[in-house]
Amino acid sequence: MEKKEMLTKTMLGMFIVMNFILNMSASLFNGILDQVAVEMNVPVTVTGQLSSMYQFGAGIGVPLFLISAGRFKRENLLKVMLGLNAVISLVMCLVYHFEAMLAVRFLMGFAGTCYSVLATATVSAKAPAGEIGKYLSLLIGGSAVANIIGVPSIRMLSSFMGWRQIMMGLVALMVLVLMYFIVNLKAEDNSGTQMKLRQELAFLKEREVQMVLLCSLTVFFGYGMQVYLTPYISQLFPSYTGMISMILVFTGITSFLGNMLGGTVCDQIGYQKALMLGTGLQAVTSLALLLTQFSGFMNVILILLWMGNAWFVGLQLNTGINVAVNNRSRFMISLNSSGIQLGSAIGAAIASFVIDTFGMGMIPATSMITSILCCMIVLLNRKRA
């Protein structure tokens, strides 16, 4: 077996940059739904399906594809999926029928998530011993930075160029990163970690794997608030409507900080203890959001804490599945990623139901309930172990 190749700073930087590009691509329409609605002559609520289709593409089919492609070396498959993502994104710029755009967004979610799973596995495999949490926090930091400048910058750029031109720019960046990977990312002999379907499915019998997968699905059921954050603020605190753009920037900053802190804490105390700490704090924060709706200032501060802690928790789940399978199962890693994506999509639907039934102010209750459930799942697993 070949000697394990360690990540250089430049290589890690390229992975971070690509995560930034993918997040920008995934959230491209979030800040310009009204403009796309006018261009496509459809209601704004319908254009929101462009984001939903990306999530469904990310959550459906990825695990089965990755296990069927198990005979290919991880690094080679990563390059193929990155190239495919660039091609599909280019096609997105060339279609003008809304139904076709929905289909392409589904494929973008599929290809982008396949790449993300392989990138996570590659960085985990090449990270120094005992520093997986730190390296994954740096990798995911690319997505967090995109949250800081993504939606605001796309909104600003859309004032003098169309979304298709913005997408073309992202495609160009994908191609540059792909060229770097082709030249510098060597395909290692992963035969010792590649497994057949029966071996992969055997991981589902392990309590720790079951715990991480169940936690990923459960906790993201409660994150529908993230989707409805803007209407939550504008409806409950109308005087803060003009400050929403600035608030979104600060939520991006706290997301980045929460992610980075998550990596440090994970390496210090382990992902299970960090996960219990994060979900416990999320439950308390969600309860505080419900109890302080008389004060816009206090609620905004709590929203910033809630967002930062959400990324803290997410880092533990991404690290946890890699630790649970000892980085030997891309299938389990992809199942975890799919659980997060499907959990987010279903969470948005749950949030919509809560809004229609109980009102906008009750959204934090879903996060409180699912955070408590996740914390109980981890406690039960530790007790059984």
Side-chain angles (χ1 to χ4, degrees), residues 277-310:
L277 174 66
T279 52
L281 178 58
Q282 201 72 333
V284 172
T285 303
S286 300
L287 177 61
L289 280 167
L290 290 171
L291 298 177
T292 61
Q293 292 179 354
F294 59 86
S295 170
F297 176 77
M298 291 180 65
N299 230 244
V300 168
I301 296 300
L302 287 168
I303 285 171
L304 298 180
L305 177 60
W306 185 90
M307 285 293 294
N309 195 56

Side-chain angles (χ1 to χ4, degrees), residues 227-237 244 355 360 363:
V227 178
Y228 291 96
L229 186 59
T230 298
Y232 175 86
I233 295 173
S234 60
Q235 184 171 321
L236 269 64
F237 314 106
I244 287 178
I355 293 170
M360 183 69 72
I363 295 181

Side-chain angles (χ1 to χ4, degrees), residues 95-352:
V95 296
Y96 287 85
H97 294 288
F98 187 73
E99 292 75 12
M101 290 173 62
L102 290 176
V104 176
R105 283 292 282 179
F106 182 91
L107 294 175
M108 285 178 66
F110 171 78
T113 303
C114 282
Y115 165 83
S116 295
V117 169
L118 293 164
T120 300
T122 301
V123 171
S124 299
K126 297 178 182 294
E131 295 187 47
I132 293 179
K134 173 185 175 182
Y135 272 66
L136 286 184
S137 69
L138 290 171
L139 174 67
I140 299 172
S143 298
V145 170
N147 278 348
I148 300 174
I149 65 176
V151 173
S153 64
I154 288 174
R155 185 77 185 186
M156 180 185 67
L157 290 172
S158 67
S159 62
F160 56 88
M161 69 169 63
W163 66 265
R164 298 176 193 275
Q165 286 72 38
I166 298 174
M167 181 68 80
M168 288 290 288
L170 295 175
V171 170
L173 293 174
M174 291 180 198
V175 172
L176 290 176
V177 175
L178 176 60
M179 292 173 62
Y180 176 87
F181 283 159
I182 290 174
V183 174
N184 296 283
L185 183 60
K186 298 178 181 179
E188 296 185 12
D189 180 10
N190 308 130
S191 58
T193 61
Q194 293 174 358
M195 312 185 98
K196 296 180 180 180
L197 178 59
R198 183 176 298 179
Q199 293 172 298
E200 294 269 10
L201 292 177
F203 279 112
L204 290 174
K205 298 179 181 179
E206 298 186 11
R207 284 201 303 266
E208 188 174 359
V209 173
Q210 294 171 357
M211 179 204 70
V212 176
L213 294 177
L214 188 57
C215 283
S216 292
L217 192 63
T218 301
V219 77
F220 277 89
F221 280 164
Y223 282 3
M225 182 176 175
Q226 184 173 345
V227 178
Y228 291 96
L229 186 59
T230 298
Y232 175 86
I233 295 173
S234 60
Q235 184 171 321
L236 269 64
F237 314 106
S239 61
Y240 283 76
T241 301
M243 303 171 59
I244 287 178
S245 295
M246 183 174 66
I247 292 172
L248 291 176
V249 171
F250 278 107
T251 59
I253 293 173
T254 56
S255 298
F256 176 80
L257 295 176
N259 174 71
M260 300 306 293
L261 178 63
T264 301
V265 174
C266 177
D267 289 334
Q268 292 295 322
I269 66 175
Y271 82 89
Q272 290 195 39
K273 290 182 179 178
L275 182 57
M276 285 194 295
L277 174 66
T279 52
L281 178 58
Q282 201 72 333
V284 172
T285 303
S286 300
L287 177 61
L289 280 167
L290 290 171
L291 298 177
T292 61
Q293 292 179 354
F294 59 86
S295 170
F297 176 77
M298 291 180 65
N299 230 244
V300 168
I301 296 300
L302 287 168
I303 285 171
L304 298 180
L305 177 60
W306 185 90
M307 285 293 294
N309 195 56
W311 282 73
F312 179 97
V313 171
L315 188 278
Q316 311 314 320
L317 295 170
N318 278 293
T319 303
I321 194 63
N322 281 276
V323 173
V325 301
N326 196 24
N327 201 49
R328 290 183 294 155
S329 173
R330 66 177 65 162
F331 181 60
M332 290 299 119
I333 296 173
S334 64
L335 271 184
N336 188 63
S337 179
S338 292
I340 290 174
Q341 294 289 345
L342 288 176
S344 298
I346 296 172
I350 293 174
S352 178

